[in-house]
């Protein structure tokens, strides 16, 4: 979460585009999260081929979810910006 929040704030400051900030920060942080989780949970239990397959599958699944939540993130940002104007 710290990785995601840090990257999001840096990208938002640089590009000022919610969809870039949200997707890039989430995708990078999900790679980090998945690598840490799978390493702790499955090294020594599964063989390395299965671990690599699991990592790739988990990352792709998380990326699809990140892309699907983008319209909602944009909508919430627009609502927030409209409320600040009032």
């Amino acid at each position: 979460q710290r990785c995601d929040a840090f990257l999001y704030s840096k990208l938002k400051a640089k590009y000022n585009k919610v969809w870039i900030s949200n997707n890039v920060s989430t995708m990078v942080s999900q790679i980090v999260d998945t690598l840490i989780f799978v390493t702790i949970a499955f090294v020594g239990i599964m063989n390395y081929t299965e671990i690599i397959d699991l990592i790739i599958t988990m990352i792709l699944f998380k990326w699809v979810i990140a892309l699907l939540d983008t319209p909602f993130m944009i909508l919430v940002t627009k609502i927030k910006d409209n409320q600040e104007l009032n």
Side-chain angles (χ1 to χ4, degrees):
Q1 288 175 337
R2 286 183 189 209
C3 176
D4 192 9
F6 174 78
L7 287 173
Y8 181 85
S9 66
K10 293 293 182 186
L11 291 166
K12 182 82 166 93
K14 184 172 183 173
Y15 298 106
N16 198 26
K17 300 286 184 193
V18 172
W19 68 272
I20 292 173
S21 306
N22 183 51
N23 286 325
V24 173
S25 68
T26 300
M27 289 177 176
V28 171
S29 66
Q30 292 302 332
I31 292 171
V32 173
D33 176 75
T34 302
L35 290 173
I36 291 170
F37 171 75
V38 171
T39 300
I40 292 169
F42 298 111
V43 168
I45 297 173
M46 298 170 69
N47 69 49
Y48 289 108
T49 304
E50 292 172 326
I51 289 173
I52 298 299
D53 289 343
L54 180 62
I55 288 170
I56 291 168
T57 302
M58 288 177 73
I59 289 171
L60 291 175
F61 180 76
K62 290 175 180 183
W63 285 1
V64 167
I65 298 300
L67 291 172
L68 291 174
D69 82 2
T70 301
F72 300 103
M73 183 71 167
I74 292 169
L75 177 65
V76 168
T77 302
K78 286 184 180 186
I79 291 170
K80 180 183 165 236
D81 290 345
N82 285 338
Q83 288 177 349
E84 289 175 358
L85 293 175
N86 295 329

